[in-house]
Amino acid sequence: MFRIALRTLRFRKGAFVATFLAMTFGAVLVLACGGLMETGIRGDLPAQRLANTQFVVTGSQTWVLPKENPDDPEEDTEGAYLPERVRLSTDLLEEIARVPGVAAAVGDVSVPALLNGAGVDAHGWSSASLTPVALVSGKAPAQGEVVLGQGSGTAVGDRVDLVVRGTAQTFTVSGLVPGQAVFFSDSQAARLAGHPNTVDLIGVRTEAGADLGAVADRIGQLLPGQNATLLAGDERGWAEHLESGSAGENLIVLAAVFGGLATGVMLFVVSTTLGLSIQQRQRELALLRAVGTTPGQLRRMVLGEALFMGVFAAGIGCLLGSVFGEWLFDRLASRGIVPAEMIHQTGWIPMVVAVGAVLIGSFFGALIAGRRAARTRPTDALADAAIQRKWLSWVRVLFAVLAFGGGLALFIVTIAVMTGPIAASTAGPSVMLWAIALALVSPGLTKMVMAVLRWPVRAVTGVAGHLAILSTKTRAVRVAAVVTPIMLATGIATANIYLQTTSIAVANEAFVENLRADVVLSGDVPAGLVDEVAAVPGVKAASEYTTSIAFVAKPYDSSQAEDGWPVQGVTGSAAAETTAFRPTSGTLADLTGNTVALPAAHAAELGRGVGDTITMRMGDGAEEDVRIVALYPAQEGFETLLMPATLVAEHTTSGLPSQIMVRTDDPAAVAAAFADRPGIAVVDRDTLVSGYAQDQELGAWINYLMSGMIIFYTAISVVNSLVMSTTARRREFALQRLTGATRGQVLRMMTIEAGMTTVIGVLLGTVVASMALVPFTLVTDGSLLPKGPLAVYLSVIGAAAVLTFGATLISTWLGLRTRPAQAAVAPA
């Protein structure tokens, strides 16, 4: 049977190529996402600045969230990422230095500075041995001196100005090293860093011939209770990239979300394309049944050729997927989503998943499509080969009910349970469930829509329209198979694009609503600068401002997620003027010392009010007991905690506020007063809003990129299905030509059919997108319609129309080139 299938392959090259492409590109998508996930899980990031170390000890950037019942060992625990540098005690440094086999333990501190207007990270001179870096000329730095890289364009003995912690200071260049670097003396670096008796990390160099495993064990014995982590091998690079510390986890989440969607789309597309291919072979399969082929032989033949095709398609897809995955990773690295030095990995596990997904899709697609041909009696099969009328079965009804139920459940859960941007997490699964549900009943829906379109199409298009309607009505089951990929492409594109435009619009609106400043000073804000700003004539209020993430350690916070709570540090006396928060009890002016202002709903969940004390775990892992001084209403899903700027800044990596928000009647006076202040940039309100919008666009760009590749894949499936469907009608076109129809009349009929197919596919795709978007927009914006230009939806419709008309008419034109008499007797 399998040999027969291969011999007939030359008569159905179009269907073979279309199915093969669907499988191949599906494997490419799944493998690319799998490679990204493996890269995030492995987290290989070779050390650069710390290349001369065998081990690196750094603060643990994770914290286990409190449990509701601490004594319950069965209760699950979640780990949260701490976004600020968790520093280590110098006592630990001394203990590690005494470990047998350790040649040197070097405490490293980073000092953010500005040199010639460019940001650099300065270090103590002892850290030079961790790379290693050697002097080209001059000597090691002493107090008041600095060693610079040759790329700075300075010479030994020159005097240079550096802005350190918001203050300009002058240093003498004592030496030069290769490349770009800044080194102070160890004592001066510790003083400038601003966190005495602590280091950012500890670089460990072992003695020659030391047993690295034994040394690692000895160091590991010192770490319990120190909130520290031992890194070795390619993990050491993460100590150099604190700002990307959560990049691995983010990459895993990104790959999981879009990989899951890509896998679902691939299974859907492969099974529907294969099903359409087998549908078009009904005459061949019916003849095989008529000459004595058993149902089992027919099923084995269909399954065998599908799996045979799937193996080769998956193999080619794995080769292309590795290249595409590397390209995709490079795009993410170029936008700073992951460190550029991170090593992209595509091992055997993603390949097995990609191959398995293709084979599973092929198996079930062939099994379902071949089941009906195998079970139908030979005489009925021959009668039904040209026109398939029966489509509804108990299996189709069962899965349709399950898909509709799942989609409806997600619709309700999103509205009833989810809040804020997190509501977008149900959109991907929702799109797939609604698409599957509508695809299962699409023949019936196609007939319903055709009943509505029949009269206006006839009235406008005449005879060609009449023929198109008769053809579409007669071939409703096969038309539905072509409509399905159009529906899927329209639904995925519309839903994903409007999810991003709505998320960006809502975030921008919230930012603008909360922004009360007329002028903003940005940079490392030194102590006393806010008082200088407040003294400028015309200034109504000036508040220091910084942001971070914090967690409620006590009491237990049931609403707390692993992302923590956004925290804004403000100056209490000016907070009422420079923020949009309006307390319902207490006052923001009391935000001094260890205090906090909470959203009223959050405080109610904690069972606390004004005057009560809670314990916060700050962004650097330190605990602070803070007193609640004010409660205010906040939009659900966008809650923010307010704390004194000095308290928040103390627990950030830089150690200083990052901005000063200014309310003033004379913005020009503020800009003129601080225009020449080193390290401080003065921006107006519009520039700040524009900058925030650009930051939001970066996050959206990631989703556009990942969604785009899935949309592209669905677009390929649209073309494949249309070309297969149209090419299979060559005999029908030939018979029309033989009965007197001209090429132009056939093309006009197919143009009208393409238009109706587009309308049905876009209409169903719009339903799919709406069922995913409506709950999201209701939760985030209280509206039934998404935010974003109408041009997006019109562009999606236009793209669907171009693909449908182009694939249909080109394949029709090619089919009409064959002489009618020859095409009429050619294999279907």
Side-chain angles (χ1 to χ4, degrees):
M1 295 303 297
F2 186 62
R3 195 160 50 247
I4 294 175
L6 292 180
R7 286 178 178 176
T8 61
L9 183 62
R10 65 190 181 94
F11 298 113
R12 45 189 175 85
K13 293 188 289 290
F16 169 78
V17 171
T19 307
F20 190 83
L21 287 176
M23 294 177 178
T24 301
F25 283 107
V28 168
L29 281 185
V30 175
L31 183 64
C33 291
L36 292 181
M37 178 174 287
E38 181 177 2
T39 301
I41 292 172
R42 289 181 179 271
D44 290 341
L45 185 62
Q48 307 291 323
R49 190 174 64 83
L50 304 175
N52 197 40
T53 63
Q54 281 70 53
F55 303 103
V56 175
V57 180
T58 185
S60 176
Q61 296 295 147
T62 57
W63 176 64
V64 178
L65 294 176
K67 298 195 297 184
E68 184 175 7
N69 299 306
D71 298 328
D72 183 4
E74 300 297 326
E75 186 176 346
D76 293 334
T77 58
E78 292 185 81
Y81 176 75
L82 299 172
E84 312 294 349
R85 171 73 72 177
V86 177
R87 296 187 169 91
L88 304 171
S89 168
T90 52
D91 293 338
L92 178 61
L93 171 64
E94 295 171 0
E95 292 183 42
I96 292 175
R98 293 193 293 266
V99 169
V102 172
V106 179
D108 176 70
V109 295
S110 296
V111 183
L114 288 176
L115 174 63
N116 299 326
V120 295
D121 282 332
H123 301 274
W125 177 244
S126 63
S127 298
S129 65
L130 303 178
T131 304
V133 172
L135 284 166
V136 175
S137 60
K139 62 180 183 65
Q143 189 70 20
E145 295 179 337
V146 65
V147 168
L148 298 179
Q150 290 177 306
S152 64
T154 59
V156 174
D158 288 351
R159 301 278 287 173
V160 295
D161 292 329
L162 280 83
V163 179
V164 183
R165 293 182 65 80
T167 303
Q169 303 183 45
T170 302
F171 299 89
T172 300
V173 178
S174 68
L176 295 175
V177 295
Q180 299 284 353
V182 178
F183 292 101
F184 297 115
S185 67
D186 289 344
S187 59
Q188 186 158 279
R191 180 180 61 81
L192 293 174
H195 44 85
N197 302 319
T198 62
V199 294
D200 291 353
L201 58 89
I202 301 171
V204 180
R205 300 200 312 275
T206 59
E207 297 173 349
D211 184 341
L212 297 183
V215 174
D217 290 340
R218 296 185 192 114
I219 295 175
Q221 292 172 6
L222 302 176
L223 302 186
Q226 299 283 356
N227 198 24
T229 301
L230 180 65
L231 305 177
D234 284 341
E235 292 180 341
R236 294 170 299 158
W238 286 107
E240 302 177 20
H241 297 274
L242 174 67
E243 71 284 357
S244 301
S246 60
E249 182 179 342
N250 292 340
L251 194 60
I252 293 171
V253 173
L254 183 71
V257 171
F258 285 99
L261 180 59
T263 302
V265 171
M266 187 274 292
L267 292 172
F268 189 84
V269 168
V270 167
S271 60
T272 54
T273 305
L274 194 58
L276 179 60
S277 172
I278 295 172
Q279 274 185 23
Q280 294 175 351
R281 296 169 57 194
Q282 288 296 321
R283 182 183 299 276
E284 171 194 334
L285 300 178
L287 287 172
L288 287 173
R289 289 282 286 120
V291 297
T293 303
T294 66
Q297 289 176 318
L298 205 61
R299 280 195 295 268
R300 286 194 295 272
M301 182 191 78
V302 172
L303 286 172
E305 65 180 79
L307 293 176
F308 177 80
M309 195 187 316
V311 168
F312 281 93
I316 295 175
C318 285
L319 294 176
L320 298 176
S322 298
V323 177
F324 179 68
E326 185 76 35
W327 177 88
L328 196 60
F329 179 81
D330 289 342
R331 302 287 75 73
L332 296 176
S334 67
R335 294 297 185 104
I337 309 304
V338 294
E341 297 81 5
M342 196 173 183
I343 299 176
H344 178 258
Q345 306 274 0
T346 303
W348 64 270
I349 294 179
M351 290 187 180
V352 169
V353 172
V355 172
V358 170
L359 294 183
I360 289 172
S362 303
F363 177 82
F364 284 103
L367 183 67
I368 294 171
R371 176 177 175 273
R372 182 176 179 276
R375 294 187 61 181
T376 305
R377 290 182 303 174
T379 52
D380 292 341
L382 283 170
D384 199 34
I387 301 174
Q388 183 180 349
R389 299 183 183 278
K390 299 177 181 179
W391 60 274
L392 196 61
S393 66
W394 69 267
V395 175
R396 184 183 286 260
V397 171
L398 174 63
F399 281 102
V401 170
L402 291 175
F404 275 118
L408 188 60
L410 286 179
F411 188 100
I412 295 171
V413 167
T414 303
I415 294 176
V417 177
M418 296 192 171
T419 59
I422 196 175
S425 61
T426 61
S430 181
V431 166
M432 288 306 303
L433 285 171
W434 286 108
I436 292 171
L438 292 182
L440 289 170
V441 297
S442 58
L445 294 175
T446 299
K447 291 179 179 180
M448 291 173 58
V449 176
M450 285 305 306
V452 176
L453 295 178
R454 179 175 55 189
W455 297 111
V457 169
R458 280 182 178 175
V460 173
T461 59
V463 175
H466 179 67
L467 289 174
I469 288 173
L470 289 177
S471 174
T472 304
K473 181 180 178 181
T474 304
R475 300 170 50 256
V477 176
R478 296 186 183 181
V479 171
V482 176
V483 164
T484 296
I486 301 174
M487 171 191 69
L488 185 63
T490 303
I492 289 178
T494 304
N496 279 282
I497 294 175
Y498 275 120
L499 275 174
Q500 298 309 313
T501 57
T502 302
S503 298
I504 292 173
V506 170
N508 288 341
E509 288 175 2
F511 180 78
V512 172
E513 182 181 346
N514 292 329
L515 182 63
R516 292 292 183 267
D518 301 304
V519 179
V520 177
L521 278 65
S522 296
D524 287 338
V525 177
L529 182 59
V530 68
D531 296 327
E532 293 182 43
V533 175
V536 174
V539 171
K540 299 177 181 178
S543 170
E544 292 178 321
Y545 180 86
T546 192
T547 60
S548 186
I549 297 293
F551 304 85
V552 178
K554 297 177 185 177
Y556 174 74
D557 186 357
S558 60
S559 60
Q560 182 166 257
E562 61 181 20
D563 294 332
W565 295 103
V567 175
Q568 291 183 8
V570 297
T571 302
S573 59
E577 287 287 334
T578 56
T579 70
F581 299 99
R582 297 293 175 261
T584 53
S585 61
T587 174
L588 298 182
D590 290 338
L591 281 171
T592 59
N594 280 31
T595 55
V596 66
L598 298 177
H602 187 195
E605 289 181 359
L606 296 176
R608 299 293 189 271
V610 173
D612 293 333
T613 298
I614 61 175
T615 302
M616 300 293 297
R617 176 77 64 166
M618 305 302 288
D620 64 349
E623 282 194 353
E624 294 284 358
D625 292 329
V626 293
R627 180 171 54 87
I628 302 173
V629 297
L631 303 176
Y632 51 85
Q635 183 180 353
E636 192 173 14
F638 295 89
E639 297 90 346
T640 300
L641 280 57
L642 297 182
M643 301 178 79
T646 52
L647 176 61
V648 176
E650 180 184 340
H651 297 287
T652 61
T653 301
S654 69
L656 293 173
S658 57
Q659 292 177 328
I660 295 179
M661 300 290 181
V662 185
R663 289 294 302 274
T664 178
D665 294 326
D666 191 357
V670 177
F674 298 96
D676 298 326
R677 181 64 64 98
I680 296 296
V682 183
V683 297
D684 59 21
R685 177 186 176 89
D686 292 339
T687 303
L688 195 66
V689 171
S690 176
Y692 180 83
Q694 290 177 0
D695 290 342
Q696 294 298 305
E697 289 291 345
L698 174 61
W701 175 87
I702 305 169
N703 292 320
Y704 286 139
L705 174 66
M706 302 299 287
S707 300
M709 66 181 189
I710 297 175
I711 293 169
F712 177 75
Y713 178 56
T714 58
I716 292 175
S717 75
V718 169
V719 175
N720 277 348
S721 299
L722 288 166
V723 171
M724 286 171 56
S725 177
T726 306
T727 303
R729 298 173 64 186
R730 290 194 306 270
R731 181 184 287 112
E732 175 189 335
F733 298 153
L735 291 174
Q736 289 177 337
R737 296 280 307 284
L738 290 173
T739 56
T742 65
R743 287 185 180 182
Q745 289 174 323
V746 174
L747 283 171
R748 284 195 293 274
M749 179 192 76
M750 292 304 295
T751 300
I752 297 168
E753 281 194 32
M756 291 188 293
T757 303
T758 302
V759 169
I760 298 170
V762 168
L763 179 62
L764 296 182
T766 302
V767 173
V768 169
S770 298
M771 298 308 290
L773 285 172
V774 167
F776 172 72
T777 56
L778 283 174
V779 168
T780 57
D781 191 46
S783 170
L784 289 173
L785 296 177
K787 291 182 178 294
L790 180 61
V792 169
Y793 182 60
L794 297 179
S795 297
V796 172
I797 295 176
V802 168
L803 290 174
T804 305
F805 280 95
T808 301
L809 296 181
I810 291 174
S811 54
T812 301
W813 178 76
L814 291 174
L816 291 174
R817 294 176 63 185
T818 305
R819 297 179 60 183
Q822 183 179 352
V825 296

mmCIF file of all heavy atoms in Angstrom, residues 490 494 498 762-763 765-766 789-798:
data_model
loop_
_atom_site.group_PDB
_atom_site.id
_atom_site.type_symbol
_atom_site.label_atom_id
_atom_site.label_comp_id
_atom_site.label_asym_id
_atom_site.label_seq_id
_atom_site.Cartn_x
_atom_site.Cartn_y
_atom_site.Cartn_z
ATOM 1 N N THR A 490 -6.015 35.514 10.662
ATOM 2 C CA THR A 490 -6.690 36.769 11.034
ATOM 3 C C THR A 490 -6.835 36.881 12.539
ATOM 4 O O THR A 490 -6.567 37.944 13.125
ATOM 5 C CB THR A 490 -8.076 36.835 10.368
ATOM 6 O OG1 THR A 490 -7.932 36.720 8.956
ATOM 7 C CG2 THR A 490 -8.760 38.157 10.701
ATOM 8 N N THR A 494 -4.756 39.745 14.577
ATOM 9 C CA THR A 494 -5.562 40.804 15.199
ATOM 10 C C THR A 494 -5.429 40.785 16.712
ATOM 11 O O THR A 494 -5.212 41.840 17.348
ATOM 12 C CB THR A 494 -7.040 40.636 14.806
ATOM 13 O OG1 THR A 494 -7.154 40.627 13.389
ATOM 14 C CG2 THR A 494 -7.878 41.781 15.366
ATOM 15 N N TYR A 498 -3.361 43.880 18.691
ATOM 16 C CA TYR A 498 -4.176 44.761 19.539
ATOM 17 C C TYR A 498 -3.913 44.530 21.027
ATOM 18 O O TYR A 498 -4.120 45.442 21.840
ATOM 19 C CB TYR A 498 -5.660 44.594 19.221
ATOM 20 C CG TYR A 498 -6.110 45.455 18.062
ATOM 21 C CD1 TYR A 498 -6.656 44.890 16.917
ATOM 22 C CD2 TYR A 498 -5.975 46.846 18.118
ATOM 23 C CE1 TYR A 498 -7.063 45.679 15.848
ATOM 24 C CE2 TYR A 498 -6.377 47.634 17.054
ATOM 25 C CZ TYR A 498 -6.919 47.051 15.928
ATOM 26 O OH TYR A 498 -7.313 47.833 14.868
ATOM 27 N N VAL A 762 -12.221 36.089 7.378
ATOM 28 C CA VAL A 762 -12.003 37.296 8.193
ATOM 29 C C VAL A 762 -13.080 37.423 9.258
ATOM 30 O O VAL A 762 -12.796 37.795 10.405
ATOM 31 C CB VAL A 762 -11.957 38.542 7.289
ATOM 32 C CG1 VAL A 762 -12.023 39.818 8.129
ATOM 33 C CG2 VAL A 762 -10.686 38.539 6.450
ATOM 34 N N LEU A 763 -14.325 37.113 8.887
ATOM 35 C CA LEU A 763 -15.422 37.202 9.849
ATOM 36 C C LEU A 763 -15.190 36.249 11.020
ATOM 37 O O LEU A 763 -15.285 36.641 12.193
ATOM 38 C CB LEU A 763 -16.741 36.876 9.160
ATOM 39 C CG LEU A 763 -17.999 36.910 10.029
ATOM 40 C CD1 LEU A 763 -18.210 38.315 10.592
ATOM 41 C CD2 LEU A 763 -19.221 36.467 9.243
ATOM 42 N N GLY A 765 -12.309 34.892 11.887
ATOM 43 C CA GLY A 765 -11.092 35.327 12.573
ATOM 44 C C GLY A 765 -11.350 36.484 13.510
ATOM 45 O O GLY A 765 -10.752 36.578 14.593
ATOM 46 N N THR A 766 -12.253 37.379 13.109
ATOM 47 C CA THR A 766 -12.619 38.501 13.969
ATOM 48 C C THR A 766 -13.320 38.018 15.228
ATOM 49 O O THR A 766 -13.097 38.537 16.330
ATOM 50 C CB THR A 766 -13.524 39.482 13.203
ATOM 51 O OG1 THR A 766 -12.834 39.928 12.024
ATOM 52 C CG2 THR A 766 -13.884 40.674 14.062
ATOM 53 N N PRO A 789 -4.943 51.883 16.428
ATOM 54 C CA PRO A 789 -5.523 52.420 15.194
ATOM 55 C C PRO A 789 -6.356 51.393 14.438
ATOM 56 O O PRO A 789 -6.025 50.200 14.419
ATOM 57 C CB PRO A 789 -4.286 52.835 14.375
ATOM 58 C CG PRO A 789 -3.168 52.018 14.930
ATOM 59 C CD PRO A 789 -3.477 51.816 16.383
ATOM 60 N N LEU A 790 -7.421 51.871 13.824
ATOM 61 C CA LEU A 790 -8.252 51.006 12.982
ATOM 62 C C LEU A 790 -7.444 50.463 11.814
ATOM 63 O O LEU A 790 -7.752 49.391 11.281
ATOM 64 C CB LEU A 790 -9.463 51.793 12.471
ATOM 65 C CG LEU A 790 -10.449 51.048 11.568
ATOM 66 C CD1 LEU A 790 -11.070 49.867 12.299
ATOM 67 C CD2 LEU A 790 -11.525 51.999 11.054
ATOM 68 N N ALA A 791 -6.384 51.187 11.446
ATOM 69 C CA ALA A 791 -5.547 50.769 10.318
ATOM 70 C C ALA A 791 -4.938 49.387 10.554
ATOM 71 O O ALA A 791 -4.650 48.665 9.591
ATOM 72 C CB ALA A 791 -4.441 51.794 10.080
ATOM 73 N N VAL A 792 -4.743 49.017 11.816
ATOM 74 C CA VAL A 792 -4.195 47.688 12.112
ATOM 75 C C VAL A 792 -5.151 46.612 11.614
ATOM 76 O O VAL A 792 -4.745 45.673 10.911
ATOM 77 C CB VAL A 792 -3.948 47.531 13.626
ATOM 78 C CG1 VAL A 792 -3.632 46.070 13.969
ATOM 79 C CG2 VAL A 792 -2.822 48.434 14.083
ATOM 80 N N TYR A 793 -6.420 46.754 11.965
ATOM 81 C CA TYR A 793 -7.416 45.760 11.558
ATOM 82 C C TYR A 793 -7.599 45.765 10.042
ATOM 83 O O TYR A 793 -7.675 44.700 9.417
ATOM 84 C CB TYR A 793 -8.742 46.059 12.249
ATOM 85 C CG TYR A 793 -9.838 45.071 11.935
ATOM 86 C CD1 TYR A 793 -9.696 43.720 12.238
ATOM 87 C CD2 TYR A 793 -11.024 45.489 11.342
ATOM 88 C CE1 TYR A 793 -10.703 42.815 11.952
ATOM 89 C CE2 TYR A 793 -12.044 44.593 11.059
ATOM 90 C CZ TYR A 793 -11.874 43.252 11.365
ATOM 91 O OH TYR A 793 -12.869 42.348 11.071
ATOM 92 N N LEU A 794 -7.618 46.963 9.455
ATOM 93 C CA LEU A 794 -7.761 47.054 8.001
ATOM 94 C C LEU A 794 -6.558 46.429 7.303
ATOM 95 O O LEU A 794 -6.705 45.798 6.244
ATOM 96 C CB LEU A 794 -7.932 48.515 7.586
ATOM 97 C CG LEU A 794 -9.188 49.223 8.103
ATOM 98 C CD1 LEU A 794 -9.213 50.669 7.641
ATOM 99 C CD2 LEU A 794 -10.448 48.482 7.645
ATOM 100 N N SER A 795 -5.370 46.578 7.892
ATOM 101 C CA SER A 795 -4.173 45.976 7.300
ATOM 102 C C SER A 795 -4.238 44.455 7.366
ATOM 103 O O SER A 795 -3.820 43.765 6.421
ATOM 104 C CB SER A 795 -2.914 46.473 8.025
ATOM 105 O OG SER A 795 -2.761 47.862 7.885
ATOM 106 N N VAL A 796 -4.752 43.928 8.478
ATOM 107 C CA VAL A 796 -4.902 42.480 8.593
ATOM 108 C C VAL A 796 -5.875 41.963 7.545
ATOM 109 O O VAL A 796 -5.609 40.954 6.871
ATOM 110 C CB VAL A 796 -5.378 42.090 10.012
ATOM 111 C CG1 VAL A 796 -5.735 40.609 10.078
ATOM 112 C CG2 VAL A 796 -4.310 42.411 11.046
ATOM 113 N N ILE A 797 -6.998 42.663 7.393
ATOM 114 C CA ILE A 797 -7.979 42.266 6.372
ATOM 115 C C ILE A 797 -7.346 42.350 4.985
ATOM 116 O O ILE A 797 -7.500 41.447 4.151
ATOM 117 C CB ILE A 797 -9.227 43.162 6.447
ATOM 118 C CG1 ILE A 797 -9.964 42.946 7.771
ATOM 119 C CG2 ILE A 797 -10.159 42.880 5.273
ATOM 120 C CD1 ILE A 797 -11.156 43.865 7.951
ATOM 121 N N GLY A 798 -6.621 43.441 4.740
ATOM 122 C CA GLY A 798 -5.979 43.610 3.433
ATOM 123 C C GLY A 798 -4.977 42.512 3.145
ATOM 124 O O GLY A 798 -4.917 41.978 2.023
#
